[in-house]
């Protein structure tokens, strides 16, 4: 329970535009008793994951992006989310596990991380009967499942992987696989864009998805962007 609360608190900072929250705001955002939020923040401060920045009577808090444990706890939360999704949706989870292995086998030397942006679309297509799908989508329409890849500089056979993924989808299932591949600098640029809170929107898009592998690599980049925003 304490670990889950720690995960939820660290995620709350990442999802906040300026990355700064008071203990009262954390309590309200996560629907935690104030005393629980207070104790957890001070425990996280003691091990260096959260910084406490006194401002008058208020205590403003922010993550410490320099501590490797910060990225590790965020990565743990993402891995937990992916595991829960695959176990809760057995049919979808079985296909997704095959997709994850295929992407990893093809990209282990050239990808830092892979993310499924639209897990609900995959679930919609695989968990429902054709009759139920007909009620959800117009006839002849394909459901897009979108993947986001972070490459490490080496060439990644994106189109080949799309073909492999498509071959794993059951016959007559109206799914189209699409993907986007970026390098780390492009992703950092996306996450640190301030105009119209575009950086937060980019993170929200990624956060709504499922990290398939490279959990710590992904959050290392997120925290690097986070540190740049905090220093501005």
């Amino acid at each position: 329970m304490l670990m889950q609360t720690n995960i939820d608190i660290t995620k709350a900072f990442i999802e906040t535009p300026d990355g700064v929250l008071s203990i009262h705001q954390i309590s309200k955002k996560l629907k935690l008793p104030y005393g629980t939020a207070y104790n957890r923040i001070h425990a996280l401060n003691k091990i260096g994951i959260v910084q406490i920045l006194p401002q008058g009577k208020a205590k403003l808090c922010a993550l410490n992006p320099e501590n490797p444990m910060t990225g590790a706890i965020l990565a743990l939360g993402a891995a937990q989310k992916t595991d829960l999704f695959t176990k809760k949706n057995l049919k979808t989870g079985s296909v997704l596990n095959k997709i994850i292995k295929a992407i990893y086998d093809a990209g282990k030397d050239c990808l830092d991380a892979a993310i499924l942006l639209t897990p609900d679309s995959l679930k919609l297509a695989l968990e429902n009967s054709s009759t139920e799908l007909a009620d959800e989508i117009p006839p002849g329409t394909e459901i897009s499942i979108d993947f986001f890849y972070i490459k490490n500089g080496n060439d990644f056979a994106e189109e080949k992987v799309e073909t492999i993924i498509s071959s794993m989808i059951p016959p007559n299932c109206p799914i189209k696989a699409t993907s986007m591949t970026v390098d780390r600098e492009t992703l950092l640029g996306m996450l640190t864009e301030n105009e119209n809170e575009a950086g937060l929107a980019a993170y929200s898009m990624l956060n709504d998805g499922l990290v398939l592998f490279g959990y710590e690599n992904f959050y290392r980049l997120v925290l690097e962007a986070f540190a740049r925003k905090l220093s501005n």
Side-chain angles (χ1 to χ4, degrees), residues 73 100 138 140 160 173 200 212:
I73 198 169
I100 292 171
K160 180 181 176 182
C173 195
L200 185 63
L212 305 180

Side-chain angles (χ1 to χ4, degrees), residues 146-160:
D146 306 318
F147 294 86
F148 188 91
Y149 303 120
I150 305 167
K151 64 179 181 177
N152 61 18
N154 296 325
D155 290 335
F156 172 56
E158 187 174 353
E159 291 184 5
K160 180 181 176 182

Side-chain angles (χ1 to χ4, degrees), residues 81 85 92 96 116-124 208-210:
K81 179 181 174 182
F85 180 86
T92 305
L96 183 57
L116 171 60
L117 299 178
T118 53
D120 288 342
S121 295
L122 184 64
K123 176 183 172 182
L124 173 67
D208 286 343
L210 294 177

Side-chain angles (χ1 to χ4, degrees), residues 102-198:
I103 297 172
Y104 179 78
D105 287 346
K108 60 189 174 187
D109 296 324
C110 45
L111 292 180
D112 282 340
I115 301 169
L116 171 60
L117 299 178
T118 53
D120 288 342
S121 295
L122 184 64
K123 176 183 172 182
L124 173 67
L126 294 178
E127 299 286 333
N128 291 287
S129 67
S130 56
T131 303
E132 290 169 326
L133 272 178
D135 293 334
E136 294 281 349
I137 63 172
T141 302
E142 288 183 315
I143 298 172
S144 175
I145 54 167
D146 306 318
F147 294 86
F148 188 91
Y149 303 120
I150 305 167
K151 64 179 181 177
N152 61 18
N154 296 325
D155 290 335
F156 172 56
E158 187 174 353
E159 291 184 5
K160 180 181 176 182
V161 172
E162 279 186 15
T163 301
I164 294 171
I165 291 172
S166 297
S167 73
M168 294 182 171
I169 304 301
N172 304 318
C173 195
I175 292 179
K176 179 182 180 182
T178 70
S179 57
M180 176 181 183
T181 302
V182 302
D183 58 27
R184 66 185 312 279
E185 290 305 321
T186 300
L187 180 58
L188 283 170
M190 292 168 61
L191 294 174
T192 53
E193 177 58 58
N194 288 321
E195 188 172 349
N196 298 319
E197 295 189 355

